Amino acid sequence: QIAVPPPPALASAERAAEAVELYWQALLRDVPLSQLQNNTDNPKVLAAVEDLNRLSAFRGPKQNGRVTPQTLFRGSVNYVGSGSSTRYVIPPGVLDGPYISQFLLQTIPWGTQSVSPLIRTALPGNDFLLNFQEWLAIQNGGSSGKSIKYDPKNRYITTIRDLSEYTHIGGPTYLGASLILNSNGTPLNPVNPYVNSKTQIGANATFALGHFQALLNLASSRVIRASYWQKYYVHRILRPEAFGGLVYNNIANKTKYPINSEVFNSQALAQTFSTFNTYLLPQAYPEGAPTHSSYTGGAAATAGVNVALLKAFFDENFVIPSPVVPDPNDPTKVISYSGSLLTVGGELNKLATNYAIGRGHGGIHWRSDGSAALALGEEVAISLLRDERLGYNEIFNGFTFTKFDGTRVTV
């Protein structure tokens, strides 16, 4: 019942562009996210921007038709277009302000307890599957025999590697966002039937936080079914880790896998060999990618369905109070952010795309895996809300929220 766009073909220029982006994500894993802004002087960031702008079919975010440091590695969403085409969009708010969503930087209040946003992070240099025999052992279902070395002190997400580690293990991401929204004064969606009542309020049974959180849990299980249908029964797309093996073998062993020449002509591949002494795609996880196919991304689909539901429950236009960014001099602290206003809707969109692209930071997913999965998750959320409405006694005109493509929908 739910369609996704066809993924880029193995030999296509778009797949080559996604591969080049992933090689750059590996090269920049230990670069602070604060340097992904247009006034940066970081030579690696500038080299990545220049390299991506040379590609003929790069579909990531751009400003005035070009990749910039501010758009580098930000998220996108892919919808089914006309015929068999793909419609590429940048969700509202994703390019605004800091790279990391406020929902990953705020303490989560949970009744009488709280959950810290500081995370366990991997130390710099934790890169795996650089040796062909190690890579081959993983492809055959074995183990690298290695493990991640962690920083003994928890800190905020401040680097590309940090985000890859957060999306590797996960946390109370969307439940946490609901608790933050509930505690920081965010109004409920104006369409909520109890918002204007003088005598009644919602409860755990209906139109309040407990009701919403129950739907978040249900949604995560439903969306995985939709995502894995695409994985197993439709597309069966090669993981980036395995694609890196094709690149390696074409160079080292003169094989003839149909890889677009833009990969081999990229600065990303040349710098990967210079830095890691390999043409394989460096992985952030010692186990490499999961053993099922790549398209669509299950974690990204979960992000899409949960964020769509949160936008349906809360007022998207509410401005985030007291936004913060990690302190560049001490990643265990935050400082106030004083740039452009950040809205609930924009920061939820950013949360979803952070999670989707973060899997690419680890080397295990293509951009299109996450971009298509976000739209799929949104469609599952709409389906769930449509079903949920059938059981209401309240006079209710429907859930209204902004989709990832910026259009408004009422369910």
Side-chain angles (χ1 to χ4, degrees):
Q1 292 178 314
I2 299 174
V4 296
L10 179 70
S12 68
E14 186 174 351
R15 179 57 88 216
E18 292 193 335
V20 170
E21 182 181 37
L22 284 169
Y23 277 99
W24 277 116
Q25 286 173 314
L27 286 161
L28 271 63
R29 279 194 183 120
D30 297 313
V31 169
L33 292 166
S34 61
Q35 295 186 20
L36 302 187
Q37 53 189 6
N38 288 341
N39 64 354
T40 189
D41 59 358
N42 186 291
K44 284 187 176 181
V45 172
L46 296 174
V49 166
E50 181 182 356
D51 205 24
L52 291 172
N53 277 318
R54 283 196 289 262
L55 299 169
S56 64
F58 180 67
R59 303 300 187 184
K62 298 179 181 180
Q63 291 176 326
N64 299 319
R66 292 185 61 79
V67 180
T68 71
Q70 179 73 18
T71 70
L72 188 66
F73 306 151
R74 301 249 179 171
S76 55
V77 176
N78 294 354
Y79 287 91
V80 175
S82 59
S84 60
S85 67
T86 302
R87 183 163 60 93
Y88 304 93
V89 305
I90 310 303
V94 164
L95 299 185
D96 297 338
Y99 185 96
I100 292 294
S101 170
Q102 291 299 300
F103 295 104
L104 294 175
L105 299 174
Q106 305 274 356
T107 296
I108 299 170
W110 201 338
T112 56
Q113 298 176 287
S114 60
V115 179
S116 169
L118 277 68
I119 70 164
R120 182 185 68 178
T121 61
L123 291 167
N126 274 262
D127 299 293
F128 303 95
L129 278 64
L130 306 178
N131 174 279
F132 184 76
Q133 292 307 314
E134 180 185 338
W135 176 90
L136 187 61
I138 292 293
Q139 308 315 301
N140 288 331
S143 169
S144 68
K146 298 179 180 178
S147 58
I148 294 174
K149 295 179 175 62
Y150 294 104
D151 189 326
K153 193 169 188 178
N154 286 6
R155 56 188 176 86
Y156 287 93
I157 297 172
T158 57
T159 68
I160 289 166
R161 187 182 301 280
D162 295 346
L163 183 57
S164 77
E165 184 57 23
Y166 181 82
T167 61
H168 184 201
I169 306 297
T173 311
Y174 313 108
L175 174 65
S178 74
L179 292 165
I180 291 169
L181 288 165
N182 189 62
S183 70
N184 71 3
T186 304
L188 294 173
N189 193 316
V191 302
N192 188 302
Y194 291 96
V195 163
N196 296 316
S197 174
K198 295 180 180 179
T199 58
Q200 293 177 304
I201 59 172
N204 280 352
T206 181
F207 289 104
L209 187 64
H211 172 203
F212 301 154
Q213 289 173 342
L215 282 180
L216 295 180
N217 286 326
L218 176 65
S220 296
S221 70
R222 293 294 188 265
V223 80
I224 286 295
R225 300 179 187 184
S227 176
Y228 276 48
W229 170 265
Q230 301 292 340
K231 281 180 182 290
Y232 281 102
Y233 293 101
V234 185
H235 298 293
R236 301 195 181 188
I237 291 299
L238 202 67
R239 289 271 182 175
E241 165 201 304
F243 182 95
L246 305 185
V247 172
Y248 173 94
N249 276 307
N250 273 13
I251 296 172
N253 297 318
K254 310 303 180 186
T255 51
K256 302 292 184 182
Y257 295 112
I259 307 299
N260 187 283
S261 62
E262 291 189 4
V263 175
F264 301 105
N265 296 331
S266 69
Q267 283 298 307
L269 191 62
Q271 289 205 27
T272 297
F273 185 78
S274 175
T275 303
F276 297 103
N277 196 35
T278 187
Y279 294 109
L280 296 166
L281 176 64
Q283 300 288 299
Y285 315 144
E287 73 277 13
T291 55
H292 45 75
S293 64
S294 203
Y295 189 83
T296 56
T302 301
V305 75
N306 278 277
V307 161
L309 289 172
L310 287 166
K311 288 189 292 183
F313 303 151
F314 289 94
D315 185 349
E316 299 172 80
N317 296 317
F318 185 72
V319 174
I320 299 285
S322 306
V324 296
V325 291
D327 186 339
N329 299 314
D330 184 353
T332 66
K333 299 178 180 178
V334 288
I335 56 176
S336 296
Y337 167 74
S338 57
S340 58
L341 295 179
L342 306 176
T343 65
V344 165
E347 290 303 290
L348 284 173
N349 287 341
K350 194 182 293 179
L351 177 64
T353 56
N354 280 166
Y355 213 101
I357 209 76
R359 303 283 278 177
H361 290 343
I364 68 169
H365 265 303
W366 305 101
R367 170 178 286 276
S368 54
D369 295 344
S371 298
L374 290 172
L376 178 147
E378 182 178 75
E379 194 63 32
V380 171
I382 290 170
S383 176
L384 281 170
L385 293 174
R386 189 177 293 122
D387 290 347
E388 190 74 4
R389 281 203 61 189
L390 299 175
Y392 294 156
N393 290 319
E394 292 85 354
I395 298 172
F396 179 50
N397 294 323
F399 297 95
T400 298
F401 66 95
T402 307
K403 295 175 63 176
F404 290 125
D405 66 359
T407 62
R408 298 280 287 174
V409 62
T410 296
V411 183

